[in-house]
Amino acid sequence: MNLSDIATSSIQTLRDVFGQDNQRQGYSQVQQFEMADFNKQGQFHGPTTTVEVTGGSSAGSHFDSAGADVATNEAVGQGLQHIEAKKVHWYSYLATTDFWIVLFLGQLLALCITATNTFSTFLVNYGTSIPAFQTVFTYILLSLIYLTYTLYEYGPKKYGKILLRDGWKYFILSFLDVQGNYFTVLAYRYTNILSAQLINFWAIVCVVIISFLLLRVRYKIFQILGILICCGGMGILLASDHIQGTNGGPAENMLKGDLFALLGATCYGLTNVFEEWYVSKRPMYEVLSFMGLFGMCINGVQAAIFDRESFREATWNGSVAGYLVGYTLVLALFYSVVPFILRIASAAFYNISLLTANFWGTIIGIHVFGFAIHFLYPIAFVLIIIGLTVYFLAGSMLGESKKPWLGDNQEDGIAGFGTAKLKALNAARKQGLAPVNSTSPA
């Protein structure tokens, strides 16, 4: 077996693990239908034959649900055809509500990142540097919100079954997320800001490569061009920092810090792609509940090991407590919004949207830390926004919400907020192919 055969075999193995065939994961068609919340009373049942069995047997319910599953997929397929058959121009998606929503969400996330960095700076200025410990509170808050709601929706028995069946996948997702946070913060202790930010570009590269190989995403020329324009805008930001001498100057240990930054960026890239895969198939509250649960455990252990000395030496007062509360609330908001942008757009668009965080950081720095803005900053910001716009040129009316790994009719996905499946169902309902119902998308 040559090297190419080994590589091909490894990629196919990873594809199998991350859901190219739901049947191999142990999900039946009925279970997939249940995940999408389409087996509730009042849902659409197509023109199928229902077998009624008396004597307390559940066979009739089984056939009825299976028929509804097939009928729903047919309605989704017709809805998708209706949407994609519309006459479009190269700028058509830019005129949709989805585009402006996803553009707004991207900048909201960039502002959240800026806010967490600002709160962390305040904590360091007070002599409180506890990167692992301060993030534990965010995972605890996510657990309190989403684990509670998921248990309410599923019940302990169903949640326990999902934990036993899929818990290992959620553990990997949470582990990568925690390590991405930890190593990125750790990198800034040893390297300078310019070097760390340059290496963070690697997260975008990771997302594009992993999405291409594992999820079979095929990027259009305008998407690649948009990514390059955004990276060019970020390059101007970094150049202006270097010109002003605000890139951090000499570092304690450049090699060590750069390796930490590279590891953190890789973990971030993997986390973003895997989370996009999860939220396209499962309810967002379920994904966030497991990220909160496992993240709390992993980060708690990590903080107990690596932050003990820093915790003892930290300053504790009312201001520090306030900064920790602000950091926790903003980061929890960040985690809550990310699934929406991953559903409507993609992990790649999510990452390039965060490139404006430096600009927003400078705006806050002017008012809070007395920074002076360089004339290249507005140019760089406009360039990044142009890149985000170019990314969606000449696309379909569904943008990136139609995921290639979910099937032609998105049959392997969930009909949740921001998904192409829900948009197709809504289109089918308007055409009278599926009735309007009161089920809340997940």
Side-chain angles (χ1 to χ4, degrees):
M1 181 179 287
N2 57 33
L3 185 60
S4 62
D5 292 336
I6 296 174
T8 302
S9 176
S10 301
I11 291 171
Q12 186 59 48
T13 300
L14 287 171
R15 281 177 177 159
D16 292 340
V17 171
F18 287 99
Q20 290 300 317
D21 186 353
N22 279 321
Q23 298 296 334
R24 294 174 66 178
Q25 289 185 6
Y27 298 132
S28 68
Q29 286 188 338
V30 177
Q31 287 173 321
Q32 293 175 46
F33 184 70
E34 183 182 354
M35 294 173 189
D37 286 342
F38 281 98
N39 62 340
K40 296 183 179 179
Q41 184 176 0
Q43 294 292 339
F44 171 57
H45 294 272
T48 57
T49 301
T50 301
V51 180
E52 183 178 356
V53 181
T54 59
S57 172
S58 61
S61 175
H62 174 83
F63 287 118
D64 190 52
S65 296
D69 190 13
V70 173
T72 299
N73 288 333
E74 290 177 355
V76 170
Q78 291 175 340
L80 289 173
Q81 290 177 4
H82 175 73
I83 295 172
E84 294 178 322
K86 293 179 179 179
K87 184 178 180 180
V88 296
H89 303 282
W90 59 269
Y91 56 83
S92 292
Y93 187 73
L94 305 184
T96 64
T97 304
D98 281 0
F99 170 73
W100 294 102
I101 290 174
V102 79
L103 190 65
F104 169 77
L105 291 179
Q107 295 315 296
L108 176 62
L109 292 175
L111 282 168
C112 287
I113 288 291
T114 302
T116 57
N117 291 340
T118 303
F119 283 123
S120 295
T121 301
F122 283 141
L123 289 171
V124 171
N125 291 343
Y126 268 92
T128 305
S129 178
I130 44 175
F133 180 77
Q134 72 188 50
T135 311
V136 170
F137 297 111
T138 298
Y139 290 115
I140 292 174
L141 182 58
L142 290 176
S143 294
L144 289 174
I145 297 172
Y146 295 106
L147 180 57
T148 302
Y149 182 76
T150 305
L151 287 172
Y152 169 77
E153 284 288 319
Y154 290 172
K157 185 177 180 181
K158 182 177 178 180
Y159 190 82
K161 289 181 179 179
I162 295 173
L163 178 62
L164 291 175
R165 185 185 62 219
D166 296 331
W168 65 275
K169 299 176 187 176
Y170 285 118
F171 180 86
I172 292 173
L173 174 65
S174 301
F175 180 81
L176 291 170
D177 183 60
V178 171
Q179 302 317 311
N181 290 331
Y182 181 76
F183 284 110
T184 299
V185 173
L186 194 62
Y188 283 91
R189 290 185 182 180
Y190 298 99
T191 190
N192 60 33
I193 296 173
L194 177 62
S195 182
Q197 289 177 336
L198 282 171
I199 292 175
N200 282 340
F201 278 114
W202 176 245
I204 300 174
V205 177
C206 281
V207 165
V208 172
I209 293 176
I210 297 169
S211 297
F212 182 85
L213 293 177
L214 299 187
L215 302 184
R216 295 179 178 176
V217 175
R218 297 299 177 258
Y219 293 96
K220 301 180 178 67
I221 184 65
F222 279 107
Q223 290 176 308
I224 297 173
L225 182 61
I227 292 173
L228 293 176
I229 292 174
C230 288
C231 291
M234 185 62 181
I236 293 176
L237 282 176
L238 298 178
S240 65
D241 286 342
H242 183 70
I243 291 171
Q244 296 179 94
T246 57
N247 59 3
E252 179 181 332
N253 188 329
M254 285 284 288
L255 179 60
K256 187 176 183 180
D258 289 350
L259 289 175
F260 283 145
L262 188 64
L263 184 57
T266 303
C267 289
Y268 271 142
L270 290 166
T271 301
N272 298 157
V273 175
F274 293 161
E275 187 175 358
E276 182 184 0
W277 181 85
Y278 284 117
V279 298
S280 70
K281 289 173 168 284
R282 306 293 300 166
M284 289 189 294
Y285 55 80
E286 179 191 307
V287 177
L288 290 174
S289 73
F290 279 111
M291 288 186 71
L293 176 64
F294 286 123
M296 176 177 60
C297 299
I298 297 169
N299 209 356
V301 171
Q302 203 156 308
I305 296 173
F306 297 109
D307 276 359
R308 285 182 298 175
E309 188 66 29
S310 300
F311 187 84
R312 284 194 295 265
E313 297 176 355
T315 301
W316 299 101
N317 54 38
S319 297
V320 168
Y323 297 145
L324 283 173
V325 170
Y327 177 89
T328 300
L329 292 176
V330 172
L331 196 55
L333 173 63
F334 178 87
Y335 275 99
S336 300
V337 173
V338 166
F340 288 100
I341 198 170
L342 293 179
R343 279 182 172 181
I344 303 174
S346 65
F349 185 84
Y350 158 67
N351 273 271
I352 61 177
S353 294
L354 297 183
L355 295 179
T356 58
N358 275 37
F359 175 81
W360 296 120
T362 300
I363 298 300
I364 292 176
I366 291 172
H367 298 284
V368 178
F369 301 109
F371 291 168
I373 190 170
H374 193 270
F375 76 93
L376 288 176
Y377 264 70
I379 297 174
F381 178 78
V382 171
L383 197 60
I384 293 174
I385 296 299
I386 290 174
L388 296 176
T389 304
V390 169
Y391 186 87
F392 281 114
L393 290 181
S396 73
M397 295 301 291
L398 291 169
E400 289 188 296
S401 61
K402 187 178 181 182
K403 311 296 183 182
W405 59 90
L406 298 179
D408 291 338
N409 292 338
Q410 304 293 280
E411 58 271 11
D412 294 336
I414 186 170
F417 288 113
T419 63
K421 189 170 187 175
L422 182 61
K423 295 173 188 174
L425 276 173
N426 289 334
R429 287 165 187 154
K430 290 179 180 178
Q431 292 181 297
L433 299 175
V436 178
N437 57 73
S438 59
T439 301
S440 298

